[in-house]
């Protein structure tokens, strides 16, 4: 059995940040590597999706290109599933540095418990589609949707067998809102630094 793999979304235009988010240091560690470090030990092979492979080389992880660029996170999810060698792939945006190992362990545990196409956290009324697990078996239907229209991830999920993780399901992973704190702007990065300092 191949372990569930981990894909870190490093593409996107980062227009609000004005810099390559995966390479931005948070407490001396690039965001992409901070996310990878949280996944390591729980997931098998880790790789980056999208972004500039030359610039991202310094992170020391394989980089898989977006095959269908321009479709936002769906492009990244599609590229991750194409590259995945196992039955499942956990896909996480590089700007979510506070998801702990316990969160990834919870995701993986649920993938083994039912015939799902995706396991997606539902926190604060929002589907966290860029911190979710996707079944490799869903790839053909994802490709059909990308061929036929310009779907949003949430529209696609409405046609899939999705197991939503509630805040109760995630209670053992820390504050459910805090762990999904993302780093989209320079202000967010400053807040994240203060958050880390407060934990020390």
């Amino acid at each position: 059995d191949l372990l569930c793999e981990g894909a870190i979304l490093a593409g996107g235009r980062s227009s609000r940040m004005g810099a390559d988010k995966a390479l931005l240091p948070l407490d001396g560690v690039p965001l992409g590597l901070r996310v990878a470090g949280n996944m390591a030990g729980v997931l098998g092979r880790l790789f980056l999706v999208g972004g500039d492979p030359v610039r991202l080389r310094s992170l020391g992880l394989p980089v898989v290109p977006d095959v269908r660029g321009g479709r936002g996170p769906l492009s990244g999810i599609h590229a991750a599933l194409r590259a995945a060698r196992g039955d499942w792939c956990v896909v996480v945006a590089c700007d979510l540095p506070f998801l702990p190992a316990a969160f990834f362990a919870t995701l993986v545990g649920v993938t083994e418990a039912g015939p799902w196409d995706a396991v997606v956290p539902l926190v604060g009324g929002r589907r966290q589609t860029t911190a979710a697990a996707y079944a490799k078996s869903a790839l053909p239907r994802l490709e059909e949707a990308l061929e036929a229209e310009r779907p949003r991830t949430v529209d696609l999920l409405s046609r899939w067998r999705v197991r939503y993780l509630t805040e109760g399901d995630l209670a053992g992973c820390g504050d459910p809102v805090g762990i999904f704190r993302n780093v989209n702007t320079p202000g967010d990065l400053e807040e994240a630094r203060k958050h880390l300092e407060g934990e020390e």
Side-chain angles (χ1 to χ4, degrees):
D1 254 19
L2 277 169
L3 284 172
C4 186
E5 293 168 41
I8 300 150
L9 301 180
R13 289 187 289 277
S14 301
S15 50
R16 284 188 282 173
M17 185 61 83
D20 203 326
K21 280 194 281 195
L23 297 171
L24 279 177
L26 176 57
D27 199 25
V29 181
L31 284 178
L33 277 189
R34 190 170 275 279
V35 174
N38 295 342
M39 298 165 109
V42 178
L43 300 169
R45 172 174 161 261
L46 301 179
F47 56 94
L48 297 159
V49 174
D52 179 343
V54 176
R55 284 168 58 83
L56 293 172
R57 192 181 294 151
S58 63
L59 298 182
L61 290 170
V63 182
V64 170
D66 265 349
V67 197
R68 297 283 187 86
R71 299 289 180 96
L74 261 188
S75 302
I77 294 165
H78 171 254
L81 283 184
R82 273 186 53 138
R85 297 169 185 165
D87 295 334
W88 281 87
C89 189
V90 173
V91 179
V92 180
C94 69
D95 61 6
L96 290 168
F98 297 113
L99 294 169
F103 166 76
F104 297 111
T106 300
L107 265 189
V108 171
V110 175
T111 64
E112 294 165 355
W116 320 113
D117 296 312
V119 179
V120 181
L122 185 61
V123 175
R126 294 185 58 190
R127 296 180 183 93
Q128 302 287 344
T129 54
T130 56
Y134 296 91
K136 177 90 171 181
S137 58
L139 179 60
R141 278 168 295 149
L142 173 51
E143 292 191 323
E144 279 170 26
L146 285 169
E147 287 288 338
E149 54 197 305
R150 297 186 67 85
R152 296 179 312 152
T153 314
V154 290
D155 297 334
L156 196 63
L157 292 179
S158 67
R159 302 173 217 164
W160 287 8
R161 296 166 300 177
V162 181
R163 165 72 157 88
Y164 286 106
L165 295 182
T166 65
E167 292 182 21
D169 292 326
L170 298 170
C173 305
D175 164 35
V177 177
I179 64 172
F180 286 98
R181 178 198 301 260
N182 70 351
V183 181
N184 256 326
T185 65
D188 292 342
L189 187 61
E190 191 52 41
E191 284 297 313
R193 286 181 178 135
K194 286 178 186 165
H195 178 71
L196 279 181
E197 284 165 12
E199 287 184 340
E200 285 169 8

